[in-house]
Amino acid sequence: MPPETTPAHHASEAERLERIALKFPQDSEQLLLQAAAHWELADERPRASALYDRLLTDNPRNPLLIKALNAANLWEHGHEAEARVLIDGIRAAAPRDSTPWEIIAETLEAHDELQAAHDCFTAGATLLIDGDEIPYEAGLLLNGRHRVRRLLGNPHDAWDALADTQHSGEIPLDELHDPKRLWALGSDDPAELRAEIDRLRAELGERRAALSRPYPVAVLHWPEAELSELLAAYPGLASEYPSHTEHLTRIETALRDLTSAMSNQTFGIVTGTVPSYEAFAAAEQTTPDAAALLPEYATNLAARGRATPWPPARNAPCWCGSGHAYRACHGA
């Protein structure tokens, strides 16, 4: 087993993220959620639950998301009754956020509670869909609902047809959610399992691209203090960032070049922080000094609504944070 996938590695990452959370309280919720995920991967599920409980006492931004994650974790280490109480509470709260619905539905699905999973996917989608406009998040719930209905052997209904139209992948949903294909993921045949993993990776790539909308091209910007901290911690990235001034110049130049080549696209700038970058690297099970991770981090920030449109208006403040008008700074 590679070192980065061992329980010891995940436990070490969890402890590291907890230490970072103490230093950066403004980012502690995200960091502790990542730490809890590592405790789960380390098979230290009681420690993960303890972190979820700790987060819930600190007035978190999204308590229902944390409760959903805790429900999934509790069920996995033998506390089904507690998990069901949390799931029932989330359903009663009827959140307008798709993520808690998706987590509790997939938890029920994983434990063969297919009808209950179907009901959760349906309830969440019903709350999010208003008229003919189908939010991307609702599409994810329709996708999960389609999968569960295939496992139940239910005939297609209007929402299954809608899920088909929302799906942009090359593999049709009926094939992707074929029960035989899903069961192949539990196969002992390495070739069969590898084929399914390759298909799922292709789907993940498409989902990431869709997540970055409306900024399919997002360029990563590091403030000077953050860049200094990044390079001090990960000197292997120095070749990517010769200096902060050069970093800013490259951003503006790259975006202007991209505008010339891709005039029909929308461009954005995302601002990185070292703690969130380290948390993202931990979630991806790789090291922060991997340069290939930087564009993925930018896409992730854009997916979370952190992108600002480029270029700014001429008299608006420059994107670099100098405080000068764009026309007198990088827009000159």
Side-chain angles (χ1 to χ4, degrees), residues 5 22 37 57 65 109 119 160 162 198 210 218 221 230 251 276 282:
T5 63
L22 292 174
T57 63
L65 167 63
E109 179 185 354
D119 294 345
D160 288 326
L162 186 57
D198 289 343
H221 160 235
L230 178 76
I251 290 174
S276 74

Side-chain angles (χ1 to χ4, degrees), residues 64 67-68 71-72 75 80-95 100-101 104-105 107-108 113 116-117 119-120 123:
L64 294 179
K67 288 180 179 181
W75 203 322
E80 178 183 337
E82 292 176 53
R84 287 185 182 277
V85 169
L86 287 172
I87 289 172
D88 289 344
I90 293 166
R91 294 181 67 172
W101 286 112
I104 63 173
T107 298
L108 291 162
E113 301 269 350
D119 294 345
C120 282

